[in-house]
Amino acid sequence: MSVLLDHLPELWQGLIVTFQLTAASFAGAAVLGALVCALRVSPVRVLRAIGTAYVESFQNLPLLVLLVLAFFGLPEIGVQAEPLVTAIVVIAVYEAAYVGEALRSGVNSVSRGQGEAARAIGLTFSQSLRHVVLPQALRTVVQPLGNIFIATTMNTALAAAVGVVDLTAAANRVNLVEAQPIPIFVGAGLAYALIAAAVGFTTGRLERKLVILR
């Protein structure tokens, strides 16, 4: 315990970076995931194929491989970015495939009559999706989106491999100095567990509230 207290400033700074990385990555994944969902449920076959290809590609590629490729490959084509920015973009693009599928499952849970009624009053496909279908679909996928947020938090630990000093990297640096891996990484693991528990509790409460309001 004393080793954690002695290096609390470094670990706290790493935790802040983890929060920043998680929040920015999930926000980007939510926006891109909504677009992927729209492609997946589009009445245009080509757009559905593009959405399917995106989901199948990123769900079958390891995130660490994407991070390493982006970190070392982008500078080769003249794209320079800070490691944190690179990690945010890559994680957002990766998690968007999962967000898109979660949203699509929610869209599929909305009765077809809702979309037909929207089109009957003159709304286009994009308008009916944005104003009628998605607001109802979101109520059914609060918990799945919460699980994706938790997975995003855990996946941010991989950013340490490309130079981002998050909680995992900070814990590793402290361990290199103190050579006490058990208390250091148990402490870091507990921090991740507390984040997951807080998100799970919050989304669970939110899901029950929205179900009652439906």
Side-chain angles (χ1 to χ4, degrees):
M1 180 61 72
S2 62
V3 67
L4 296 177
L5 295 177
D6 291 340
H7 294 275
L8 189 59
E10 301 100 295
L11 296 172
W12 177 251
Q13 183 59 40
L15 182 60
I16 291 175
V17 173
T18 293
F19 283 137
Q20 294 173 338
L21 186 54
T22 300
S25 297
F26 188 78
V31 174
L32 186 55
L35 176 60
V36 172
C37 174
L39 293 175
R40 292 279 277 155
V41 300
S42 171
V44 181
R45 181 178 298 180
V46 174
L47 296 181
R48 287 201 308 272
I50 294 173
T52 300
Y54 183 96
V55 170
E56 293 295 331
S57 297
F58 285 101
Q59 285 190 345
N60 290 287
L61 285 173
L63 176 57
L64 182 57
V65 171
L66 296 175
L67 284 168
V68 172
L69 284 175
F71 185 77
F72 292 103
L74 290 179
E76 294 294 326
I77 59 174
V79 179
Q80 300 289 338
E82 293 293 325
L84 180 62
V85 175
T86 300
I88 288 172
V89 172
V90 172
I91 295 173
V93 170
Y94 177 82
E95 295 293 345
Y98 295 91
V99 173
E101 284 298 274
L103 292 176
R104 186 173 72 92
S105 70
V107 169
N108 290 338
S109 70
V110 178
S111 66
R112 297 176 65 89
Q114 297 288 330
E116 293 171 356
R119 288 191 292 274
I121 62 173
L123 296 182
T124 64
F125 171 77
S126 61
Q127 289 173 330
S128 64
L129 187 65
R130 184 168 68 253
H131 298 298
V132 178
V133 179
L134 274 181
Q136 298 180 70
L138 283 172
R139 291 184 172 187
T140 67
V141 296
V142 172
Q143 194 63 60
L145 289 177
N147 292 338
I148 294 172
F149 186 91
I150 292 172
T152 302
T153 304
M154 304 307 163
N155 285 337
T156 58
L158 295 175
V162 293
V164 178
V165 187
D166 67 335
L167 179 58
T168 299
N172 188 52
R173 289 186 176 188
V174 172
N175 180 56
L176 291 176
V177 174
E178 300 290 348
Q180 297 185 47
I182 293 179
I184 293 170
F185 285 103
V186 166
L190 287 175
Y192 283 111
L194 287 174
I195 295 172
V199 173
F201 176 79
T202 302
T203 54
R205 290 286 299 272
L206 185 59
E207 182 183 43
R208 288 192 293 273
K209 181 178 180 181
L210 290 176
V211 168
I212 293 172
L213 292 176
R214 284 187 68 183

